[in-house]
Structure formats: structure tokens, C-alpha cells
mmCIF file of all heavy atoms in Angstrom:
data_model
loop_
_atom_site.group_PDB
_atom_site.id
_atom_site.type_symbol
_atom_site.label_atom_id
_atom_site.label_comp_id
_atom_site.label_asym_id
_atom_site.label_seq_id
_atom_site.Cartn_x
_atom_site.Cartn_y
_atom_site.Cartn_z
ATOM 1 N N THR A 1 182.939 -47.241 -90.797
ATOM 2 C CA THR A 1 181.507 -46.811 -90.679
ATOM 3 C C THR A 1 181.534 -45.735 -89.536
ATOM 4 O O THR A 1 182.587 -45.364 -89.017
ATOM 5 C CB THR A 1 180.583 -47.941 -90.439
ATOM 6 O OG1 THR A 1 180.815 -48.497 -89.160
ATOM 7 C CG2 THR A 1 180.690 -49.044 -91.529
ATOM 8 N N SER A 2 180.305 -45.335 -89.198
ATOM 9 C CA SER A 2 180.180 -44.231 -88.196
ATOM 10 C C SER A 2 180.942 -44.524 -86.919
ATOM 11 O O SER A 2 181.483 -43.607 -86.227
ATOM 12 C CB SER A 2 178.750 -43.939 -87.939
ATOM 13 O OG SER A 2 178.060 -44.979 -87.450
ATOM 14 N N MET A 3 180.979 -45.804 -86.462
ATOM 15 C CA MET A 3 181.514 -46.057 -85.145
ATOM 16 C C MET A 3 182.554 -47.283 -85.214
ATOM 17 O O MET A 3 183.195 -47.510 -84.217
ATOM 18 C CB MET A 3 180.395 -46.461 -84.122
ATOM 19 C CG MET A 3 179.582 -45.242 -83.775
ATOM 20 S SD MET A 3 178.435 -45.687 -82.406
ATOM 21 C CE MET A 3 177.332 -46.855 -83.165
ATOM 22 N N ARG A 4 182.685 -47.925 -86.331
ATOM 23 C CA ARG A 4 183.375 -49.197 -86.299
ATOM 24 C C ARG A 4 184.363 -49.370 -87.504
ATOM 25 O O ARG A 4 184.050 -48.718 -88.603
ATOM 26 C CB ARG A 4 182.479 -50.392 -86.315
ATOM 27 C CG ARG A 4 181.782 -50.607 -84.976
ATOM 28 C CD ARG A 4 180.655 -51.650 -85.143
ATOM 29 N NE ARG A 4 180.120 -52.022 -83.865
ATOM 30 C CZ ARG A 4 179.278 -51.315 -83.124
ATOM 31 N NH1 ARG A 4 178.881 -50.196 -83.607
ATOM 32 N NH2 ARG A 4 178.830 -51.784 -81.946
ATOM 33 N N ARG A 5 185.382 -50.081 -87.290
ATOM 34 C CA ARG A 5 186.100 -50.744 -88.346
ATOM 35 C C ARG A 5 186.102 -52.227 -88.207
ATOM 36 O O ARG A 5 185.598 -52.741 -87.175
ATOM 37 C CB ARG A 5 187.535 -50.190 -88.367
ATOM 38 C CG ARG A 5 187.725 -48.749 -88.794
ATOM 39 C CD ARG A 5 189.136 -48.165 -88.507
ATOM 40 N NE ARG A 5 189.197 -46.870 -89.148
ATOM 41 C CZ ARG A 5 190.301 -46.058 -89.079
ATOM 42 N NH1 ARG A 5 191.331 -46.486 -88.407
ATOM 43 N NH2 ARG A 5 190.260 -44.887 -89.579
ATOM 44 N N PHE A 6 186.624 -52.982 -89.233
ATOM 45 C CA PHE A 6 186.497 -54.407 -89.222
ATOM 46 C C PHE A 6 187.865 -55.081 -89.298
ATOM 47 O O PHE A 6 188.676 -54.811 -90.176
ATOM 48 C CB PHE A 6 185.646 -54.873 -90.466
ATOM 49 C CG PHE A 6 184.292 -54.247 -90.500
ATOM 50 C CD1 PHE A 6 184.107 -52.901 -90.956
ATOM 51 C CD2 PHE A 6 183.144 -54.894 -89.905
ATOM 52 C CE1 PHE A 6 182.813 -52.364 -91.043
ATOM 53 C CE2 PHE A 6 181.920 -54.294 -89.909
ATOM 54 C CZ PHE A 6 181.773 -52.998 -90.526
ATOM 55 N N TRP A 7 187.962 -56.143 -88.467
ATOM 56 C CA TRP A 7 189.217 -56.997 -88.559
ATOM 57 C C TRP A 7 189.262 -57.685 -89.930
ATOM 58 O O TRP A 7 188.224 -58.109 -90.362
ATOM 59 C CB TRP A 7 189.224 -57.982 -87.444
ATOM 60 C CG TRP A 7 189.506 -57.488 -86.052
ATOM 61 C CD1 TRP A 7 188.696 -57.648 -84.986
ATOM 62 C CD2 TRP A 7 190.696 -56.935 -85.551
ATOM 63 N NE1 TRP A 7 189.265 -57.181 -83.912
ATOM 64 C CE2 TRP A 7 190.523 -56.727 -84.156
ATOM 65 C CE3 TRP A 7 191.887 -56.513 -86.133
ATOM 66 C CZ2 TRP A 7 191.532 -56.049 -83.338
ATOM 67 C CZ3 TRP A 7 192.910 -55.894 -85.379
ATOM 68 C CH2 TRP A 7 192.669 -55.709 -84.016
ATOM 69 N N ASN A 8 190.538 -57.822 -90.412
ATOM 70 C CA ASN A 8 190.722 -58.735 -91.513
ATOM 71 C C ASN A 8 190.839 -60.139 -90.977
ATOM 72 O O ASN A 8 191.884 -60.564 -90.491
ATOM 73 C CB ASN A 8 191.967 -58.339 -92.291
ATOM 74 C CG ASN A 8 192.251 -59.276 -93.434
ATOM 75 O OD1 ASN A 8 191.628 -60.296 -93.654
ATOM 76 N ND2 ASN A 8 193.314 -59.070 -94.207
ATOM 77 N N MET A 9 189.718 -60.852 -90.948
ATOM 78 C CA MET A 9 189.576 -62.086 -90.301
ATOM 79 C C MET A 9 190.435 -63.199 -90.912
ATOM 80 O O MET A 9 190.777 -64.301 -90.282
ATOM 81 C CB MET A 9 188.170 -62.622 -90.112
ATOM 82 C CG MET A 9 187.261 -61.676 -89.314
ATOM 83 S SD MET A 9 187.791 -61.568 -87.588
ATOM 84 C CE MET A 9 187.273 -63.134 -86.926
ATOM 85 N N ALA A 10 190.871 -62.943 -92.152
ATOM 86 C CA ALA A 10 191.749 -63.896 -92.827
ATOM 87 C C ALA A 10 193.230 -63.639 -92.529
ATOM 88 O O ALA A 10 194.133 -64.473 -93.074
ATOM 89 C CB ALA A 10 191.525 -63.913 -94.326
ATOM 90 N N ASP A 11 193.599 -62.600 -91.782
ATOM 91 C CA ASP A 11 194.866 -62.293 -91.446
ATOM 92 C C ASP A 11 195.415 -63.137 -90.276
ATOM 93 O O ASP A 11 194.814 -63.100 -89.173
ATOM 94 C CB ASP A 11 194.939 -60.748 -91.056
ATOM 95 C CG ASP A 11 196.304 -60.223 -90.659
ATOM 96 O OD1 ASP A 11 197.228 -61.065 -90.464
ATOM 97 O OD2 ASP A 11 196.456 -59.029 -90.606
ATOM 98 N N PRO A 12 196.448 -63.885 -90.442
ATOM 99 C CA PRO A 12 196.974 -64.749 -89.324
ATOM 100 C C PRO A 12 197.193 -63.990 -88.035
ATOM 101 O O PRO A 12 197.010 -64.489 -86.987
ATOM 102 C CB PRO A 12 198.239 -65.384 -89.922
ATOM 103 C CG PRO A 12 198.064 -65.421 -91.427
ATOM 104 C CD PRO A 12 197.291 -64.104 -91.702
ATOM 105 N N TRP A 13 197.724 -62.751 -88.214
ATOM 106 C CA TRP A 13 197.928 -61.880 -87.026
ATOM 107 C C TRP A 13 196.688 -61.676 -86.262
ATOM 108 O O TRP A 13 196.613 -61.718 -85.030
ATOM 109 C CB TRP A 13 198.611 -60.529 -87.404
ATOM 110 C CG TRP A 13 199.011 -59.684 -86.253
ATOM 111 C CD1 TRP A 13 200.219 -59.651 -85.669
ATOM 112 C CD2 TRP A 13 198.177 -58.777 -85.550
ATOM 113 N NE1 TRP A 13 200.208 -58.744 -84.599
ATOM 114 C CE2 TRP A 13 198.939 -58.196 -84.499
ATOM 115 C CE3 TRP A 13 196.806 -58.411 -85.618
ATOM 116 C CZ2 TRP A 13 198.420 -57.286 -83.611
ATOM 117 C CZ3 TRP A 13 196.303 -57.518 -84.700
ATOM 118 C CH2 TRP A 13 197.013 -56.986 -83.736
ATOM 119 N N VAL A 14 195.598 -61.419 -86.986
ATOM 120 C CA VAL A 14 194.307 -61.122 -86.360
ATOM 121 C C VAL A 14 193.840 -62.421 -85.608
ATOM 122 O O VAL A 14 193.334 -62.290 -84.458
ATOM 123 C CB VAL A 14 193.237 -60.678 -87.324
ATOM 124 C CG1 VAL A 14 191.847 -60.595 -86.782
ATOM 125 C CG2 VAL A 14 193.605 -59.327 -87.921
ATOM 126 N N GLU A 15 193.980 -63.545 -86.272
ATOM 127 C CA GLU A 15 193.555 -64.834 -85.606
ATOM 128 C C GLU A 15 194.345 -64.981 -84.247
ATOM 129 O O GLU A 15 193.741 -65.314 -83.291
ATOM 130 C CB GLU A 15 193.799 -66.026 -86.552
ATOM 131 C CG GLU A 15 193.415 -67.338 -85.871
ATOM 132 C CD GLU A 15 193.509 -68.499 -86.898
ATOM 133 O OE1 GLU A 15 193.851 -68.270 -88.049
ATOM 134 O OE2 GLU A 15 193.458 -69.672 -86.320
ATOM 135 N N ASP A 16 195.669 -64.734 -84.301
ATOM 136 C CA ASP A 16 196.462 -64.912 -83.091
ATOM 137 C C ASP A 16 195.960 -63.891 -82.010
ATOM 138 O O ASP A 16 195.906 -64.221 -80.849
ATOM 139 C CB ASP A 16 197.944 -64.668 -83.352
ATOM 140 C CG ASP A 16 198.513 -65.814 -84.262
ATOM 141 O OD1 ASP A 16 197.966 -66.879 -84.235
ATOM 142 O OD2 ASP A 16 199.626 -65.555 -84.787
ATOM 143 N N TYR A 17 195.692 -62.655 -82.389
ATOM 144 C CA TYR A 17 195.246 -61.608 -81.511
ATOM 145 C C TYR A 17 193.946 -62.016 -80.848
ATOM 146 O O TYR A 17 193.778 -61.967 -79.625
ATOM 147 C CB TYR A 17 194.982 -60.345 -82.315
ATOM 148 C CG TYR A 17 194.526 -59.196 -81.492
ATOM 149 C CD1 TYR A 17 195.421 -58.303 -80.844
ATOM 150 C CD2 TYR A 17 193.169 -58.916 -81.421
ATOM 151 C CE1 TYR A 17 194.943 -57.189 -80.114
ATOM 152 C CE2 TYR A 17 192.686 -57.867 -80.634
ATOM 153 C CZ TYR A 17 193.547 -57.053 -80.031
ATOM 154 O OH TYR A 17 193.053 -55.904 -79.300
ATOM 155 N N LEU A 18 192.962 -62.539 -81.706
ATOM 156 C CA LEU A 18 191.713 -62.995 -81.114
ATOM 157 C C LEU A 18 191.800 -64.214 -80.227
ATOM 158 O O LEU A 18 191.056 -64.433 -79.334
ATOM 159 C CB LEU A 18 190.690 -63.114 -82.232
ATOM 160 C CG LEU A 18 190.308 -61.825 -83.010
ATOM 161 C CD1 LEU A 18 189.360 -62.155 -84.130
ATOM 162 C CD2 LEU A 18 189.656 -60.817 -82.065
ATOM 163 N N CYS A 19 192.706 -65.072 -80.622
ATOM 164 C CA CYS A 19 192.990 -66.246 -79.817
ATOM 165 C C CYS A 19 193.337 -65.864 -78.342
ATOM 166 O O CYS A 19 192.963 -66.354 -77.319
ATOM 167 C CB CYS A 19 194.045 -67.138 -80.387
ATOM 168 S SG CYS A 19 193.435 -68.139 -81.819
ATOM 169 N N GLU A 20 194.239 -64.825 -78.318
ATOM 170 C CA GLU A 20 194.665 -64.290 -77.071
ATOM 171 C C GLU A 20 193.608 -63.508 -76.352
ATOM 172 O O GLU A 20 193.431 -63.751 -75.088
ATOM 173 C CB GLU A 20 195.900 -63.357 -77.301
ATOM 174 C CG GLU A 20 196.377 -62.660 -76.074
ATOM 175 C CD GLU A 20 197.022 -63.587 -75.040
ATOM 176 O OE1 GLU A 20 197.481 -64.663 -75.433
ATOM 177 O OE2 GLU A 20 197.108 -63.158 -73.824
ATOM 178 N N ARG A 21 192.894 -62.628 -77.012
ATOM 179 C CA ARG A 21 191.868 -61.767 -76.320
ATOM 180 C C ARG A 21 190.601 -62.448 -76.106
ATOM 181 O O ARG A 21 189.891 -62.055 -75.157
ATOM 182 C CB ARG A 21 191.761 -60.449 -77.107
ATOM 183 C CG ARG A 21 193.054 -59.688 -77.343
ATOM 184 C CD ARG A 21 193.599 -59.155 -75.958
ATOM 185 N NE ARG A 21 194.954 -58.507 -76.180
ATOM 186 C CZ ARG A 21 195.053 -57.139 -76.236
ATOM 187 N NH1 ARG A 21 194.023 -56.368 -76.242
ATOM 188 N NH2 ARG A 21 196.341 -56.646 -76.440
ATOM 189 N N VAL A 22 190.212 -63.378 -76.946
ATOM 190 C CA VAL A 22 188.878 -63.997 -76.834
ATOM 191 C C VAL A 22 189.021 -65.424 -76.240
ATOM 192 O O VAL A 22 188.533 -65.705 -75.119
ATOM 193 C CB VAL A 22 188.199 -64.003 -78.161
ATOM 194 C CG1 VAL A 22 186.868 -64.731 -78.015
ATOM 195 C CG2 VAL A 22 187.879 -62.585 -78.641
ATOM 196 N N ILE A 23 189.688 -66.310 -76.930
ATOM 197 C CA ILE A 23 189.655 -67.758 -76.502
ATOM 198 C C ILE A 23 190.437 -67.913 -75.127
ATOM 199 O O ILE A 23 189.914 -68.589 -74.305
ATOM 200 C CB ILE A 23 190.275 -68.561 -77.614
ATOM 201 C CG1 ILE A 23 189.494 -68.552 -78.854
ATOM 202 C CG2 ILE A 23 190.496 -70.007 -77.111
ATOM 203 C CD1 ILE A 23 189.986 -69.309 -80.043
ATOM 204 N N ARG A 24 191.547 -67.227 -75.063
ATOM 205 C CA ARG A 24 192.268 -67.336 -73.766
ATOM 206 C C ARG A 24 191.483 -66.762 -72.636
ATOM 207 O O ARG A 24 191.435 -67.324 -71.525
ATOM 208 C CB ARG A 24 193.591 -66.646 -73.816
ATOM 209 C CG ARG A 24 194.427 -66.750 -72.607
ATOM 210 C CD ARG A 24 195.787 -66.145 -72.708
ATOM 211 N NE ARG A 24 196.523 -66.197 -71.464
ATOM 212 C CZ ARG A 24 197.723 -65.725 -71.243
ATOM 213 N NH1 ARG A 24 198.429 -65.217 -72.219
ATOM 214 N NH2 ARG A 24 198.291 -65.834 -70.053
ATOM 215 N N MET A 25 190.825 -65.696 -72.845
ATOM 216 C CA MET A 25 189.912 -65.123 -71.744
ATOM 217 C C MET A 25 188.776 -66.110 -71.424
ATOM 218 O O MET A 25 188.485 -66.324 -70.192
ATOM 219 C CB MET A 25 189.370 -63.777 -72.191
ATOM 220 C CG MET A 25 188.543 -63.167 -71.079
ATOM 221 S SD MET A 25 187.969 -61.478 -71.556
ATOM 222 C CE MET A 25 186.941 -61.119 -70.117
#
């Protein structure tokens, strides 16, 4: 879209990435 793209939330790599960047923080 004009300013954003969207994670593939069903992608295991994305889940691991967000666990590191969100949950761990």
C-alpha cells in the first residue's frame, strides 16, 4: 500500500522474527 507491506503471519520464519523482536523485548 502507500506506506506499508504485510508480514506473512503464517510463515514460521516470521513467527520466530516477531518472537525475537516483540516478545523478547
